[in-house]
Amino acid sequence: MEYSPLHYVYELAIAGMKDGPASHAYRPAVGRLQLLATYRNDWPSLVWGHEHKMLLSPQTRFGVSGGFIHQIHVHGGQYSLDLAELPSCRTSRSPALTRHLKFRTPEIENIALDRSQSLIVTSHVLRHDLQNGIGVVLYFRDVWTFEKHAKAYGGTYDFNVGPVPISSISLAIAGHNMFISFEFSSGKIMHLVLNWRTFQAVWLEDNDIQFLSENRLLVVRRSRGHPYLSLYNISNISAVVVERDYELPEAWARSTIGFSPNTSPLTDQPSPSEAMFYPDPSRRVILVVVKTPSPNGGPSARNWLIVNESFFRPTSRKDRLRVSWQEWRQACLIRDAHSAILGPYVNGSRVVFAENAPRHSSRSSVLPRLNLIEFAPFPDSGCVQTRAWSMIGPRCVLVPNERSRELPPKTVDGRQIEDIRLTEDNIVLFLNNHDDSKPVNILTFGVPHSTGRSHSHHDSRTHH
């Protein structure tokens, strides 16, 4: 491969990447260029270079956060947390060099991990107290030592959420701030926004929230029955400011509206420091999932509203504080999705979703199908789009390029996909239970041929 410094800079821009903090003396640009070419070839074609299969216990709580698969085990009333690092050849963590950590822990159910700050936050729901309601405790620890995080205001943070049982909890971290989202058995949704370095906090009762930066949230909310996306400034948590409102279509007034979380880094602080290159944060997309009830009782209509994240900005003009749908729809895409789709899952400017084989299919050979939508920074004439796009705004800077492929039999072992997680380097497939275990397959992209690529993907068929 011919090399010049300008060639590397050019390829980074074409790939929507930025040069990473890893030392050029240790990782010269010519090697970075070769690895970048592998990424550029693998992802758009949905061709991964390595598979790693794991078996988890169905009794454990598990998930993916901060580049790790986590498992929460219980043995004889004692809790432990296992962290298995996901492979990333960008960060010199080839599949053979990933790290595994195990810690004893108090009782916990959920975690969020931010490797750039060496922070892991865990949560536990306390038993119902007739006097105070349901309590929740958060623990703030260093991910490598599991001791109290040096910059946390305290090792724990306790609060009450009222008497209604909790159905689900999710956590997200952005710099000094984080939020804990609760869905209650009554259907009500609430979010606690917390500065973990000062323990300043505020409750929000909006439908859904997502970080745009450490100090800004994008929020799904309703006002007088009308749906909006709103830009919140939380730089002073005790005085949250609504900076701007973006109207959503009136046809979605009765719809369920929420974000598909974008799991790529928000800032130009790539982690770990060994990263040779990393996705440009300015290219992140927002994906809003809209489910509209059918008037005749049939399946809900599903739409994905997609827009570049950098579109949402504050303004100093008072006449621009509310943006009509007719105006800002010109910068958006809308894709129609059917109810059998698993997903979508978003990382940076990449969207992945899956379609399992029909349960009553007459074809025993039908396999799950994996689908990819990429939004290239400099799209060419080779971009492929399906007919599912019901709206492409004339001022939209996003050009979708789609790929779909049937998963190889050896990749799924004849099983259906139950859940997916997406990172910059991996697609993690959680499959249906097998006897007393939960099969997981980690598909890793950007693995150089010199590292040793698995070749089972050649058994499958791909198509545009």
Side-chain angles (χ1 to χ4, degrees):
M1 176 183 292
E2 289 187 25
Y3 168 73
S4 74
L6 281 178
H7 187 193
Y8 176 54
V9 172
Y10 170 80
E11 291 293 335
L12 281 172
I14 293 296
M17 296 280 187
K18 288 192 169 184
D19 191 35
S23 168
H24 276 255
Y26 175 63
R27 291 289 181 182
V30 63
R32 299 177 190 228
L33 181 59
Q34 291 169 345
L35 185 60
L36 181 62
T38 306
Y39 270 82
R40 284 199 62 199
N41 290 332
D42 284 5
W43 269 111
S45 304
L46 271 182
V47 175
W48 49 92
H50 187 270
E51 293 187 17
H52 175 64
K53 295 183 179 180
M54 302 173 63
L55 290 176
L56 310 182
S57 169
Q59 283 74 45
T60 66
R61 289 177 176 265
F62 50 82
V64 174
S65 183
F68 287 85
I69 291 182
H70 64 262
Q71 299 180 69
I72 302 170
H73 296 276
V74 186
H75 297 288
Q78 298 295 313
Y79 281 71
S80 63
L81 174 64
D82 285 9
L83 298 173
E85 189 175 29
L86 292 169
S88 169
C89 292
R90 290 181 309 110
T91 64
S92 302
R93 291 292 169 186
S94 66
L97 296 176
T98 54
R99 291 166 287 190
H100 298 259
L101 307 171
K102 186 169 185 175
F103 302 106
R104 285 193 171 185
T105 175
E107 189 173 354
I108 57 173
E109 294 90 27
N110 300 86
I111 83 162
L113 195 154
D114 182 347
R115 183 153 32 181
S116 68
Q117 303 184 90
S118 298
L119 172 68
I120 184 168
V121 181
T122 59
S123 70
H124 171 51
V125 177
L126 304 170
R127 291 184 179 180
H128 188 275
D129 184 311
L130 290 177
Q131 183 175 357
N132 299 314
I134 297 171
V136 177
V137 58
L138 303 176
Y139 300 90
F140 302 91
R141 301 184 185 274
D142 184 288
V143 71
W144 306 113
T145 66
F146 217 59
E147 301 294 328
K148 173 191 170 293
H149 195 283
K151 295 183 178 179
Y153 187 79
T156 61
Y157 180 81
D158 302 82
F159 57 98
N160 292 316
V161 296
V164 181
I166 299 169
S167 298
S168 65
I169 298 177
S170 60
L171 296 81
I173 304 169
H176 298 176
N177 291 320
M178 66 173 296
F179 65 72
I180 309 95
S181 295
F182 297 89
E183 183 172 356
F184 297 94
S185 59
S186 62
K188 185 177 182 178
I189 296 172
M190 293 185 68
H191 317 273
L192 180 72
V193 181
L194 171 71
N195 184 317
W196 58 273
R197 293 196 179 189
T198 65
F199 283 1
Q200 279 188 299
V202 66
W203 282 99
L204 302 177
E205 297 189 24
D206 302 291
N207 295 105
D208 201 4
I209 64 177
Q210 180 164 306
F211 278 115
L212 296 184
S213 67
E214 179 180 30
N215 291 319
R216 282 196 169 85
L217 292 169
L218 193 62
V219 171
V220 178
R221 72 182 188 95
R222 282 178 165 79
S223 176
R224 298 178 181 177
H226 301 297
Y228 294 89
L229 295 184
S230 296
L231 186 63
Y232 283 15
N233 187 321
I234 57 168
S235 53
N236 180 359
I237 285 184
S238 60
V240 175
V241 177
V242 181
E243 292 186 314
R244 212 164 186 187
D245 289 319
Y246 299 82
E247 295 178 353
L248 289 169
E250 284 299 315
W252 293 349
R254 295 174 52 245
S255 304
T256 301
I257 304 172
F259 297 111
S260 181
N262 192 323
T263 57
S264 73
L266 283 163
T267 63
D268 272 318
Q269 295 178 341
S271 179
S273 59
E274 299 88 356
M276 285 178 269
F277 49 85
Y278 63 97
D280 183 351
S282 69
R283 295 188 55 249
R284 285 168 45 104
V285 299
I286 289 285
L287 194 154
V288 181
V289 178
V290 182
K291 301 176 184 177
T292 305
S294 169
N296 55 17
S300 297
R302 299 191 179 207
N303 306 103
W304 301 345
L305 170 66
I306 304 174
V307 62
N308 193 289
E309 192 175 88
S310 60
F311 177 82
F312 299 99
R313 297 178 178 178
T315 180
S316 58
R317 292 177 52 182
K318 291 186 177 181
D319 62 335
R320 301 287 296 157
L321 296 179
R322 177 170 294 186
V323 186
S324 71
W325 170 243
Q326 289 302 316
E327 179 180 348
W328 78 277
R329 72 193 294 269
Q330 299 180 55
C332 301
L333 297 167
I334 293 181
R335 192 183 197 280
D336 300 331
H338 57 79
S339 58
I341 282 177
L342 183 64
Y345 306 90
V346 185
N347 182 273
S349 59
R350 185 175 289 133
V351 179
V352 165
F353 61 97
E355 298 167 280
N356 281 315
R359 291 186 178 181
H360 305 293
S361 173
S362 60
R363 288 177 56 204
S364 59
S365 61
V366 175
L367 293 163
R369 181 166 289 279
L370 200 58
N371 302 272
L372 169 73
I373 307 171
E374 284 208 315
F375 299 99
F378 302 99
D380 56 33
S381 57
C383 287
V384 176
Q385 294 155 25
T386 65
R387 297 178 180 177
W389 300 94
S390 56
M391 190 190 83
I392 299 179
R395 293 195 291 112
C396 183
V397 298
L398 302 173
V399 177
N401 185 27
E402 301 186 65
R403 168 75 69 161
S404 176
R405 67 172 289 181
E406 201 172 68
L407 286 168
K410 290 183 180 179
T411 296
V412 292
D413 296 322
R415 305 198 168 273
Q416 301 293 291
I417 302 170
E418 192 172 275
D419 202 359
I420 292 176
R421 289 296 179 267
L422 180 63
T423 73
E424 294 88 336
D425 308 281
N426 302 279
I427 296 176
V428 184
L429 304 177
F430 294 90
L431 306 176
N432 286 347
N433 287 359
H434 173 68
D435 297 330
D436 292 327
S437 61
K438 165 70 62 182
V440 178
N441 199 350
I442 302 166
L443 314 180
T444 302
F445 294 75
V447 179
H449 289 271
S450 59
T451 305
R453 293 167 67 97
S454 61
H455 298 286
S456 61
H457 57 268
H458 292 308
D459 297 333
S460 77
R461 298 176 293 277
T462 69
H463 79 271
H464 290 286

